[in-house]
Amino acid sequence: MTVLAAVAAPLASCRDLPWPSARERAHAASAPLPTRHVPLASAAGLTLAEVLRTSQPMPGFDTAAMDGYAVGPGAGPWQVRGTIRAGGGRTARPLGEGEAVEISTGALVPAGARAVVPVELTERTGARVHGPTPTDGKHIRRTGEDAPAGAPLAPAGTRIGPALLGLAAATGHDTLPVRQRPRVRILVTGDELTHTGRPAPGQVRDALGPLLPPLVQAMGGETTDLHHVPDRPAGSLATAVHALPYDGAEVTVVTGSTSVGATDQLRMLLADADARWVVDAVACRPGHPQLLAQLPDGHWVVGLPGNPYAALVAAHTLLTPLLAGLTGRSLPTLPRIPLTGDIRTAPGRTRLIPVSWDGSTAHPVGGHRPAFLQGAALADALAAVGPDWQPGQPAPLIHLIS
C-alpha cells in the first residue's frame, strides 16, 4: 500500500481543497497565542491582543488650533492680557469681555475664550489687538472632540505600525497588550541541495533556505532555526521533526517531501504521529502537494513543495493564514484587480501567476515555472486565476513583499 493510500480515507474532507477554501481552513484552524504586555518601543510589527482605548479625552484640554489670539466675549479691539505658549498652564482667571491673550498652536485655551483669531488676520498696537469678530469656537479643538475617554481606537487583531504606536503614546499608553510572533522552525529537505557556490551536475542550489526566514518575518512570524535534512536514510525527517528541540516554536515548516515519491516522508510521518489533518493538497498550480497538520502535542506542521516558486505559492496559501490566526489577525482580504494578457486557466484548479500592477490592471510578467523564481522576484503580486476566469475579469491579488 502506498503512503497516499494509507492516509487517504481519513483525509477525504481536506484533500485537494479549492484554493480559497484552503486559505480559510488554515486561518480557522488555529487559536491566537497568549497575550503579553510590551513597551511601545518593542511593539512594532506585533498584533494588538485587546482593543486599544483612550485613557483620557483626546484632546485632553481645549487647545488652540492656530497661532494667534484667544479672545473673550464681544467684538474687538481686545486688550492683550498676557501670553500662553504650548506646555504652559491655565491663566489665573477667565477672559472677560474685550480681553485677549496671545496664544501658540497647541497651547491650553483659557476659560472664557470664545475663539482664536489667527495672527495673520490681526494687527497689534501695544497692548491692543484688532481683528475680525470670530464665530464662537473657531480654531479651538475642544476637550474630547476627537475621542472621549475610554473610546475604542483600534480593534484587537490590528497590526501595530508607526501610526498606531504614535496614537497609543498620544493617549497615554506606555505598554500595549500584544500577541507574540509565532515562532517557526524550518526544515529544508533534499539530498540534491547544495548551499554555497555553483551546483554541480545533479545538484541544485538551495533557494528556500535564504527565501523562507525573511518571508516568515514579513508574515508576522519569527524563525527560530533552520536545518537541512537529507532524504536518506529513510526516517531522517521523522528523526529531525521529533528529535530536534522545538526551541519554543509553534510551527515547523518542511520543504520538499510533501508528495508521494520514494523519498517523500512527510505524509507517512504525520500518519504515524496520528496528526490532525487540516489541508492535504490544494487544487492549485503550482503548489498542489502542500499540507497543514497538527501534531497531538499541538505543534503545527506546514508542508511546502520543494520547487522554489511552488513553495512560495504554498507559503502564501497556508502559512500566511496560519500565522494570521495564531496572532489573532483576520484572514487577509485580497483586492480583486482586472487581469489582461496571455493568461490560461487550468480546469478545476487555481493558477497562481506573478503579475505587475499599473494601478488599474495587472499583467503577467512570465518566468514562473515551478522551480523558477524570476517572475516572483520582479512581480508586484501573485494573481489567483480561478478555473472559470475570463479575460479582463478581476482576480484576487496577493501582494508580494519586496
Side-chain angles (χ1 to χ4, degrees), residues 104-122:
S104 298
T105 301
L108 188 153
V109 173
R114 65 176 296 187
V116 172
V117 181
V119 66
E120 59 267 27
L121 301 181
T122 65

Side-chain angles (χ1 to χ4, degrees), residues 269-310:
L269 181 162
L270 294 171
D272 290 345
D274 197 24
R276 176 175 74 90
W277 289 80
V278 178
V279 176
D280 179 22
V282 178
C284 68
R285 291 179 55 187
H288 174 256
Q290 56 184 287
L291 59 85
L292 172 62
Q294 188 177 32
L295 298 176
D297 62 6
H299 191 79
W300 292 98
V301 177
V302 178
L304 308 179
N307 280 326
Y309 180 59

Side-chain angles (χ1 to χ4, degrees), residues 2-4 7 189 237 254-269 277 280-281 288-291 303-306:
T2 67
V3 172
L4 183 61
V7 296
T189 69
L237 181 59
V254 178
T255 73
S257 201
T258 59
S259 191
V260 292
T263 61
D264 295 318
Q265 307 172 45
L266 185 55
R267 280 182 165 78
M268 181 63 77
L269 181 162
W277 289 80
D280 179 22
H288 174 256
Q290 56 184 287
L291 59 85
L304 308 179

Side-chain angles (χ1 to χ4, degrees), residues 150-202:
L153 299 175
T158 300
R159 184 181 183 276
I160 300 169
L164 194 143
L165 288 172
L167 177 64
T171 57
H173 293 276
D174 296 318
T175 65
L176 287 174
V178 301
R179 307 286 183 190
Q180 68 182 38
R181 287 183 179 271
R183 292 159 294 188
V184 180
R185 67 171 184 165
I186 299 170
L187 305 181
V188 178
T189 69
D191 288 340
E192 74 279 15
L193 298 180
T194 62
H195 310 293
T196 58
R198 297 180 181 179

Side-chain angles (χ1 to χ4, degrees), residues 42 44-47 159 181-184 186 210-224 319-320 323 327 329 401:
S42 302
L46 301 179
T47 305
R159 184 181 183 276
R181 287 183 179 271
R183 292 159 294 188
V184 180
I186 299 170
L211 181 154
L212 284 171
L215 183 64
V216 167
Q217 178 79 13
M219 290 175 173
E222 173 188 336
T223 300
T224 60
L319 185 58
T320 295
L323 297 184
T327 56
R329 297 180 189 174
I401 300 100

